[in-house]
Structures are given as C-alpha cells and as structure tokens.
Amino acid sequence: MRTAIFDDKKIYAILNNDENIILSSLDPKSHKAKRKKLDVDSVFYPENNESLKSLNNKELMVAVNDDVDSNKNSMLIIIDKKTLDTKREIVMEKGFTIYKTHLDDKDKIMLISHEGEVKMFNRDFKEILTEKIPLKFKSDDERLEEVKILDGKIYALVRMFDRDKDGVIGRIIEYDIESKDSKEISLKSDRDWEMTSLEVVK
C-alpha cells in the first residue's frame, strides 16, 4: 500500500505495483470495498504517502510522477469519490516533478517540486502563484529530504549524504511565501544519517 486516508466515514487507499495504480474505497462498518485501476501509463506512480488527498466532499486528488524514465510530465488526477472514476487530469509543465501537495483552509492548493519550486492553484486549478524556495544547494551531495507547510510558511529539510568538515549534515530552511523572507538553521551530527524526518508544530 502506498497511502490511505480516512474521509467522510470511508477509507480511501492507493496500492501500486509495476504495472498499475489501484484506488480502493472501503466502508469500515460494512466492509464493502470498491476498487478501480487508474487509467494512466504504467510509468506513473504516487511519490510518497501524502500523494492522496481529499479535495472536497465529492473528489479525491492523486499526485503521480513518471518514476520510470522521467520523460512524462507529472500529473494531478481528480477522482470522483463515489464512482472512483477519473474526472480530470492536470498536467504539470515539463521539469516540475511533484514532491509535495498541500491543501490549505483558504481553498488553495500548493505543489512543491524536488527542486523547491512552488506552484499555487485555486480549487479550479487556475495557477495563481509561482515561487522558488531558496534551497541553495551547495553541491550534488544535497537533496530535498522533507517539506512541511504551516501558517503560510514552508519548512524544507535539505540533507547531505556526508557530513562536511564542520559536522553539518543538513539544513532547515524556513520560507515565508508572502514576505519572501527566509531563515536557515544548520544541523550538525557526530555521525552520518541513514534516515531523517521533519515535523512542524504550533
């Protein structure tokens, strides 16, 4: 299983294998289940366990990338909750690989790419903002490891594969979308990391 959410008294889950993506809905009381294969090429896969979101009371949103050869553009797939049919596909521009999706309480949809590019849409998927988080990768040894969004600010964890001479192995960048202000905190360690995680709380 790739990801699952509980919404409107039902469980929705994505499962994928080498050939397709299966979307399931399950009624936890009656145990009745419905499954449907998404009508996308076999190169597309959900990026992570946050790829499935409830868009509104009638629709789900699934983010998929070409994880095979990276030749096809990333997509958002809008799905009818009741029938699990695909209603719409929103194709990203070439080079924008969806890493994170976020729905705020002001009906805005935010997408963040692996390179730190930010796109904001309204609920009709009209693009209203494009930004770039100042990740400032210092070498090919750095990558975007995790992103969290809270109160209009983006928190990005950039990880290095190996510590530098000062013991720095990562950085947290705080970026305010409205003011464009950014802050950076270096993370030091006495040993290399195999796994990292970031959580932001009020």
Side-chain angles (χ1 to χ4, degrees):
M1 183 178 297
R2 176 67 70 160
T3 186
I5 60 172
F6 183 75
D7 182 69
D8 194 27
K9 299 180 181 180
K10 283 191 177 181
I11 298 170
Y12 297 93
I14 291 178
L15 303 95
N16 67 268
N17 53 36
D18 292 339
E19 296 180 354
N20 49 51
I21 302 170
I22 303 293
L23 180 64
S24 299
S25 68
L26 173 69
D27 187 320
K29 287 189 175 180
S30 67
H31 293 262
K32 288 184 178 179
K34 181 182 292 186
R35 291 165 46 96
K36 181 157 285 191
K37 182 174 72 172
L38 295 190
D39 186 21
V40 294
D41 290 345
S42 59
V43 298
F44 285 105
Y45 293 99
E47 176 67 26
N48 51 47
N49 62 2
E50 295 186 25
S51 298
L52 174 64
K53 296 285 175 68
S54 175
L55 185 61
N56 51 50
N57 61 356
K58 294 182 179 180
E59 298 171 317
L60 299 167
M61 180 178 77
V62 181
V64 294
N65 295 323
D66 176 0
D67 276 2
V68 175
D69 51 28
S70 300
N71 286 332
K72 297 194 175 185
N73 296 9
S74 297
M75 290 191 300
L76 293 176
I77 303 172
I78 311 306
I79 296 166
D80 185 287
K81 285 182 179 178
K82 188 174 183 180
T83 64
L84 301 186
D85 290 335
T86 297
K87 297 179 65 176
R88 185 179 178 186
E89 293 178 354
I90 297 91
V91 180
M92 299 294 106
E93 63 188 42
K94 189 172 181 61
F96 188 95
T97 304
I98 301 172
Y99 177 71
K100 191 82 168 181
T101 61
H102 176 77
L103 284 67
D104 69 14
D105 55 5
K106 297 178 181 177
D107 286 340
K108 299 294 189 301
I109 300 163
M110 191 181 303
L111 306 179
I112 300 175
S113 76
H114 280 276
E115 295 73 32
E117 188 176 354
V118 181
K119 289 186 180 294
M120 189 180 292
F121 301 84
N122 62 20
R123 289 300 174 103
D124 293 323
F125 292 98
K126 180 181 179 181
E127 189 173 324
I128 56 179
L129 178 76
T130 299
E131 289 287 337
K132 182 87 173 180
I133 307 170
L135 298 177
K136 299 177 183 176
F137 290 135
K138 297 176 173 62
S139 70
D140 293 338
D141 188 42
E142 292 188 336
R143 70 179 183 193
L144 182 61
E145 184 80 4
E146 181 60 274
V147 175
K148 299 292 182 182
I149 301 166
L150 181 67
D151 295 339
K153 292 184 179 180
I154 299 173
Y155 299 86
L157 172 61
V158 174
R159 179 192 167 189
M160 299 161 60
F161 289 101
D162 299 300
R163 291 167 295 153
D164 67 12
K165 59 183 177 58
D166 298 316
V168 174
I169 196 167
R171 298 177 287 121
I172 296 175
I173 294 100
E174 176 189 309
Y175 181 66
D176 190 304
I177 299 171
E178 290 189 8
S179 69
K180 312 297 187 289
D181 291 337
S182 65
K183 301 175 184 176
E184 182 175 308
I185 301 170
S186 294
L187 301 174
K188 292 186 177 184
S189 175
D190 58 0
R191 62 178 62 189
D192 293 337
W193 297 343
E194 292 185 2
M195 297 179 64
T196 58
S197 182
L198 172 69
E199 191 60 60
V200 181
V201 297
K202 287 187 177 182

